[in-house]
Amino acid sequence: MYVRSAGTLVATVVCLACGGPLPTNGAGTGTPAAIAQVRLFDETAGRDLTVHTGLPDDQSVRVEVRLYAADGHRLTDIVGGVALTLQFNPESLATAIPVPGQPLQRLVAAMAPVGTSGNQTVSLRFPGDGSVRSFGPFHVAVQSGGHLSGEFRLFDALNADLTQHVPLITADTMRLEVRLFDSTGARRTNIPGGVEITFRFDPDSLAMAFPIAGLPFWKAVTPTAPLGTEGSLFVSVLFLADSITKTYGPIQVLVH
């Protein structure tokens, strides 16, 4: 009845949601059993890291675990308290240091070399009743902190910034837009002579990119590799006026 990607998501949510009462004592308060799902965020940038956490090799990421009830609203207070542990697989992938006064935040730093991937599991311990619950695993990859210039960014049709990671959905086509910026951060929308943009995937079998008529900065991307395949995207921009080509990447890609 559902396509595979949607079915997997629905099954996960249903599984996480079963067995717990809805929150009590107000919109943001609930019992441990009321937690139906968790989501991960870059607390500093406000970026959702649930599908993929890209850890730069040259700086830490302040990861916040947010808790949600079965009806989708966020739980900011858990009866009896809550303690967080982030567990990495492999253990050598990264470290997580507590943030003082923020029990659901951790300062996460990569330990493994660039290109290493794995996952993290969220473990929640509830001092009030002594119970423990786990969520995940969630995908993690170590990437070069300075691998992308500020003059280039990549967005999907919903205006989500995918410059660090492109989540391709099996049997689905994603429209991706290349945006270019000058040294002041202003977007360049009119390039003298125009541009020609090329997407290259590594491995080649990862996905295919097709031009979109009338939209030179856009590509229609369809995964051609099996679910769970990882790889990279390199974006080349040929400036037709002076025949100069700039290439950006690698951008981490995962088929979901």
Side-chain angles (χ1 to χ4, degrees), residues 39-150:
R39 293 172 65 189
L40 310 179
F41 285 82
D42 180 335
E43 194 277 336
T44 302
R47 183 182 301 113
D48 192 329
L49 305 177
T50 310
V51 173
H52 164 79
T53 299
L55 292 178
D57 64 341
D58 59 355
Q59 60 183 306
S60 300
V61 176
R62 189 165 172 170
V63 175
E64 179 180 35
V65 175
R66 299 181 185 178
L67 315 177
Y68 295 87
D71 63 2
H73 79 261
R74 186 178 172 189
L75 301 171
T76 55
D77 184 36
I78 301 300
V79 176
V82 58
L84 166 68
T85 301
L86 289 181
Q87 300 170 321
F88 296 96
N89 181 26
E91 293 183 1
S92 59
L93 184 63
T95 61
I97 302 173
V99 177
Q102 300 294 335
L104 292 178
Q105 292 185 15
R106 291 293 183 269
L107 198 60
V108 178
M111 294 178 58
V114 172
T116 305
S117 64
N119 57 63
Q120 61 184 335
T121 300
V122 174
S123 179
L124 301 176
R125 182 175 61 84
F126 304 98
D129 60 12
S131 63
V132 177
R133 298 186 62 191
S134 295
F135 299 84
F138 304 101
H139 185 263
V140 179
V142 180
Q143 55 199 29
S144 176
H147 77 293
L148 292 173
S149 169

Side-chain angles (χ1 to χ4, degrees), residues 3 32 38 47 52 54 63 130-131 134 152 157 164 173 225 239 246 249:
V3 297
V38 304
R47 183 182 301 113
H52 164 79
V63 175
S131 63
S134 295
F152 164 88
Q164 299 293 338
T173 297
F239 295 88
K246 291 187 176 182

